[in-house]
């Protein structure tokens, strides 16, 4: 089922575009699930200003660039939304290259920030992106390794502050890192050995098919916790609860966005 923006979307986009800056990024809450087997702590990144963990990624990327540089990004993704919101304040012109296969889920929200939209024919999105780069734009990648590792360092510092007895098992999406990279970074940041479990990311460009267990878990989170979680979030939380029950240890789970984007935005 396609998702459409709610009636308030235009007002929200306008308010964010007018005031959103780096000071609005991060500082998301860490809270425990109240009713589950084991002890699971949720880092709820859906409460970022544009609604996803990618606010951290885009903020770090833009901080490395001089203001006003023309940028190009691929597709209607959470990263595109975050980049557009933050780039507008910094004076960047952003082109978004899309093709007919691009997901419509975030299109209305992203277009609210006024990007230059470049439509590519099927199978030609890479060539169109390259044409933008040849014309002087800088490609900003959704999966830039340095940006994701910087975001993970921020998350580790926040969790250590919010929960001094920091859990040593982490469940996170498989973005630009592998388990060894993420475990090494978190272990160094937290001063203790951290065990990392990755859950495959859906890339924002296709509908995620939930496992039966995660589908049940998503319903339970709504009924028991009052929390609308995204499909990827349901898989992450399901894995975290299983690990907490099996290990009898506390587990931190990074949930990159809430579920409101699957019903319309805000």
């Amino acid at each position: 089922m396609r998702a459409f923006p709610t009636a308030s979307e235009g007002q929200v986009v306008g308010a964010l575009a007018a005031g959103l800056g780096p000071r609005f990024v991060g500082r998301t809450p860490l809270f425990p699930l109240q009713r589950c087997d084991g002890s699971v702590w949720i880092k709820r990144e859906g409460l970022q200003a544009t609604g996803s963990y990618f606010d951290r990624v885009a903020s770090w990327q833009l901080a490395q660039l001089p203001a006003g540089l023309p940028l190009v990004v691929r597709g209607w993704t959470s990263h595109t939304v975050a980049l557009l919101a933050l780039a507008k304040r910094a004076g960047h012109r952003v082109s978004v290259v899309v093709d007919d296969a691009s997901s419509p889920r975030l299109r209305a929200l992203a277009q609210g920030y006024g990007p230059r939209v470049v439509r590519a024919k099927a199978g030609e999105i890479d060539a169109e992106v390259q044409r933008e780069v040849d014309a002087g734009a800088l490609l900003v990648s959704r999966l830039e390794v340095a940006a994701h590792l910087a975001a993970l360092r921020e998350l580790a510092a926040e969790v250590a502050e919010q929960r001094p007895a920091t859990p040593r098992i982490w469940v996170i999406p498989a973005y630009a890192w592998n388990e060894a990279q993420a475990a090494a970074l978190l272990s160094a940041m937290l001063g203790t050995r951290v065990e990392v479990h990755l859950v495959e990311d859906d890339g924002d460009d296709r509908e995620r098919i939930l496992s039966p267990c995660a589908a049940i878990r998503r319903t339970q989170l709504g009924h028991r916790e009052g929390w609308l979680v995204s499909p990827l979030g349901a898989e992450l939380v399901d894995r975290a609860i299983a690990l907490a029950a099996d290990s009898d240890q506390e587990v931190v789970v990074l949930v990159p966005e809430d579920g409101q984007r699957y019903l319309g935005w805000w």
Side-chain angles (χ1 to χ4, degrees):
M1 181 178 70
R2 287 187 57 183
F4 294 91
T6 63
S8 65
E9 180 200 342
Q11 294 177 334
V12 174
V13 168
L16 289 175
L20 181 58
R23 70 182 182 278
F24 289 94
V25 176
R27 308 304 306 169
T28 52
L30 179 74
F31 68 92
L33 289 184
Q34 298 300 315
R35 294 189 242 176
C36 73
D37 297 324
S39 183
V40 176
W41 291 82
I42 305 294
K43 188 63 168 164
R44 192 170 168 182
E45 291 291 279
L47 297 180
Q48 299 269 20
T50 74
S52 88
Y53 153 86
F54 280 94
D55 281 20
R56 295 183 189 268
V57 173
S59 178
W60 185 90
Q61 290 172 319
L62 291 170
Q64 316 307 309
L65 305 176
L69 190 69
L71 308 175
V72 60
V73 66
R74 296 171 57 104
W76 305 122
T77 71
S78 293
H79 175 251
T80 300
V81 174
L83 186 74
L84 288 169
L86 289 162
K88 186 163 186 173
R89 186 178 180 88
H92 296 284
R93 186 196 70 175
V94 182
S95 298
V96 183
V97 180
V98 298
D99 62 13
D100 292 338
S102 292
S103 170
R105 184 168 60 86
L106 296 174
R107 177 176 58 201
L109 174 56
Q111 287 181 317
Y113 292 105
R116 173 174 171 265
V117 180
V118 179
R119 302 192 183 281
K121 295 180 181 177
E124 295 185 7
I125 192 166
D126 289 336
E128 204 61 60
V129 167
Q130 187 58 51
R131 277 191 277 273
E132 293 293 315
V133 171
D134 292 342
L138 176 70
L139 175 61
V140 184
S141 172
R142 177 181 177 276
L143 294 178
E144 182 181 353
V145 175
H148 281 276
L149 293 178
L152 192 57
R153 279 190 287 271
E154 283 184 1
L155 283 160
E158 288 179 21
V159 170
E161 180 181 335
Q162 293 164 325
R163 181 97 181 133
T166 306
R168 290 185 288 180
I169 300 176
W170 286 54
V171 179
I172 61 178
Y175 286 137
W177 44 56
N178 57 41
E179 287 186 358
Q181 280 179 311
L185 185 151
L186 290 170
S187 297
M189 285 290 299
L190 300 172
T192 187
R193 181 180 176 275
V194 173
E195 177 183 323
V196 171
H197 297 261
L198 299 182
V199 172
E200 191 65 30
D201 172 37
D202 58 16
D204 279 323
D205 60 1
R206 65 179 185 272
E207 183 178 357
R208 189 181 191 95
I209 305 300
L210 287 174
S211 67
C213 189
I216 293 171
R217 190 73 69 193
R218 192 182 191 199
T219 300
Q220 288 176 337
L221 289 168
H223 287 302
R224 297 178 180 178
E225 307 286 339
W227 178 30
L228 179 60
V229 65
S230 69
L232 175 58
E235 297 276 13
L236 287 157
V237 173
D238 183 54
R239 176 78 64 86
I241 290 173
L243 288 166
D246 290 345
S247 67
D248 198 30
Q249 295 189 49
E250 292 189 342
V251 179
V252 169
V253 55
L254 166 61
V255 178
E257 64 183 27
D258 287 359
Q260 78 273 12
R261 286 180 170 173
Y262 296 82
L263 301 176
W265 195 66
W266 289 6

